[in-house]
Amino acid sequence: MDIIRKWTESSLILKILIGIVIGAALGVFAPGFKFIGFLGEVFVSALKAIAPILVFVLVASALSKAKGGIGSRFRTVIILYLFSTFLSAMVAIIASTLFPVTMHLSAASTAAAPQDLGKIMSDMILAVFTNPIELLATGQYLGILFWSVVFGIALKMVASDTTNDVLNDLADAVTKIVQAIIQCAPIGILGLVFTSVSESGLSIFTQYGYLILLIVGCMAFVAFVTDPILVTVALRRNPYPLVITCLKESGITAFFFRSSAANIPVNMQLCERLGLDRDFFSISIPLGATINMEGAAITITVMTLAVCHTMGISTPLPLTIALCIISTLAACGASGIAGGSLLLIPMACSLFGISPDVSMQAVAVGFIIGVIQDSCETALDSAGDALFTATAEYHERMANGEPVNFMGEFAKDGD
């Protein structure tokens, strides 16, 4: 028991960094030890298994006993989610114009891509009204969020105090399970790093190096420039303590999980440490995992313009503006599509008259660089969920004249 206590009391971030180093070393020097990678698969599977239940229970519990006065926070966080995604697409367009890259187009991907934005939106709406049990089993978070809201509002109208206490206890129990799983993160990330290094090595950096640099550069610019600007406008404070905290405690884990859904429990724990209202972040974090898709907007835009540059297609201003809008809307639906943002590239390419046969080759390239692109994309998206949730709540507190101890809250240890 002393070992368990010492493990849980030590810094989680430090343990994760140690796990990264060990996993990378094992991937280089002992790539044949496949059972090490299995540890990472088990860890991510455990998080994915508990996350849908956590979201449903926490959202329903929060709404069943929710107090009034948090509506303005939701308006603020939704505006931040959507506007930051739009700005990310703009950053990608500007960067692709200043630093145009091309790609080798040869073998087309065999994956099925959606044909238009209307099809994406109709599929999302139909998915919302799927059997709630099926949604929980398959981890469809937009539908889970919808039914948990319906369930929570219904409970608020009919549930007794005893029923609410039982639901609250259930939420606490699920949270305890999540906390226990997260304590295994260093071991899980060790396995995930091992798999990436042993299977991909460093060759991926040379084959599509410029394309990777452009995508990652755009994401870094959004993470360290445009997102902090939005936080500064909202809070009138130095944003970087909060930005760095979210990137460190949410972005690092999301980078290796490569799943915003799997990182929902991590973000909820971070919001607890930041002193945020549980009734608010229990809803805004799952919502962000669905519609806050800065990284996806960057991927769609950069890959589309790379195809245009490869084929020598001009990109007039009206079409680039339309691409920016479509990338924003499509990115919000990326979480509900198998393959995520990559399979939305053909739809964006159709703006420039590029045939699906050609654009699907870009999808194939995306899967090749996915070990880096998808990791960085998820890290940016997930860290943004926590960042904008905190920004929305702190903005309301300041507007109401409530004290906000920014440095004290941001500086809390991430263990």
Side-chain angles (χ1 to χ4, degrees):
M1 296 302 293
D2 286 342
I3 295 177
I4 295 176
R5 180 177 55 81
K6 290 180 180 178
W7 174 268
T8 55
E9 290 178 354
S10 58
S11 171
L12 181 62
I13 297 299
L14 177 60
K15 290 182 291 189
I16 287 175
L17 292 176
I18 293 173
I20 291 172
V21 173
I22 295 175
L26 291 173
V28 172
F29 297 109
F33 292 176
K34 300 299 183 183
F35 69 91
I36 299 175
F38 181 69
L39 296 174
E41 294 179 17
V42 170
F43 174 69
V44 173
S45 295
L47 275 179
K48 286 184 175 179
I50 195 65
I53 302 173
L54 175 72
V55 169
F56 185 87
V57 172
L58 285 183
V59 172
S61 174
L63 287 176
S64 69
K65 54 186 178 60
K67 305 177 291 293
I70 61 174
S72 62
R73 298 180 199 172
F74 286 115
R75 287 193 297 273
T76 302
V77 80
I78 289 172
I79 291 171
L80 288 171
Y81 284 160
L82 295 179
F83 189 59
S84 64
T85 302
F86 179 80
L87 283 181
S88 298
M90 288 186 62
V91 167
I93 287 175
I94 294 171
S96 295
T97 302
L98 294 176
F99 308 101
V101 298
T102 59
M103 64 177 74
H104 177 66
L105 300 176
S106 56
S109 171
T110 58
Q115 297 302 311
D116 53 52
L117 190 60
K119 181 68 166 62
I120 295 172
M121 296 305 172
S122 63
D123 287 347
M124 288 176 61
I125 293 172
L126 289 175
V128 166
F129 294 98
T130 303
N131 186 320
I133 304 301
E134 181 181 340
L135 293 171
L136 285 169
T138 56
Q140 298 295 320
Y141 284 89
L142 188 60
I144 292 171
L145 193 61
F146 171 78
W147 285 110
S148 60
V149 168
V150 171
F151 193 70
I153 293 174
L155 278 174
K156 187 175 181 64
M157 292 188 289
V158 303
S160 64
D161 291 341
T162 302
T163 302
N164 283 330
D165 288 342
V166 170
L167 189 60
N168 190 59
D169 289 343
L170 180 60
D172 289 341
V174 176
T175 301
K176 289 291 185 183
I177 295 172
V178 169
Q179 291 171 346
I181 295 174
I182 290 177
Q183 284 299 323
C184 300
I187 299 172
I189 288 178
L190 185 154
L192 294 171
V193 172
F194 170 84
T195 299
S196 296
V197 173
S198 63
E199 292 183 355
S200 300
L202 301 178
S203 61
I204 192 171
F205 287 102
T206 58
Q207 189 175 10
Y208 293 103
Y210 289 119
L211 184 60
I212 293 172
L213 283 175
L214 181 59
I215 291 175
V216 174
C218 288
M219 293 180 183
F221 187 87
V222 169
F224 292 103
V225 179
T226 61
D227 282 356
I229 289 174
L230 289 178
V231 175
T232 300
V233 170
L235 301 181
R236 308 293 180 183
R237 299 288 184 94
N238 175 14
Y240 286 99
L242 180 58
V243 169
I244 298 301
T245 295
C246 292
L247 288 172
K248 181 180 71 172
E249 299 193 25
S250 175
I252 289 177
T253 54
F255 181 91
F256 295 103
F257 295 173
R258 294 177 64 183
S259 169
S260 294
N263 212 50
I264 286 175
V266 176
N267 273 344
M268 288 191 170
Q269 278 205 334
L270 172 58
C271 289
E272 286 275 9
R273 288 196 294 274
L274 291 176
L276 305 184
D277 183 358
R278 184 171 177 175
D279 290 349
F280 174 55
F281 72 72
S282 294
I283 302 173
S284 68
I285 291 298
L287 180 63
T290 303
I291 68 170
N292 181 40
M293 292 291 167
E294 299 169 295
I298 289 171
T299 297
I300 295 167
T301 304
V302 169
M303 296 294 284
T304 298
L305 292 179
V307 175
C308 292
H309 295 147
T310 301
M311 300 181 67
I313 298 173
S314 63
T315 55
L317 181 61
L319 281 183
T320 55
I321 294 174
L323 173 63
C324 198
I325 296 171
I326 285 184
S327 295
T328 300
L329 297 175
C332 294
S335 60
I337 299 171
S341 58
L342 294 177
L343 289 181
L344 298 173
I345 294 170
M347 181 198 66
C349 285
S350 67
L351 275 176
F352 300 91
I354 299 170
S355 69
D357 288 341
V358 174
S359 58
M360 286 305 291
Q361 295 179 44
V363 176
V365 172
F367 282 118
I368 293 173
I369 66 172
V371 67
I372 297 174
Q373 167 267 326
D374 193 36
S375 296
C376 293
E377 178 181 311
T378 308
L380 175 62
D381 292 343
S382 193
D385 297 345
L387 175 67
F388 294 131
T389 293
T391 300
E393 180 160 336
Y394 290 142
H395 175 75
E396 184 182 85
R397 290 189 195 176
M398 295 173 65
N400 294 334
E402 299 176 22
V404 178
N405 183 12
F406 287 88
M407 292 306 298
E409 287 168 347
F410 298 168
K412 288 184 179 179
D413 190 17
D415 55 11

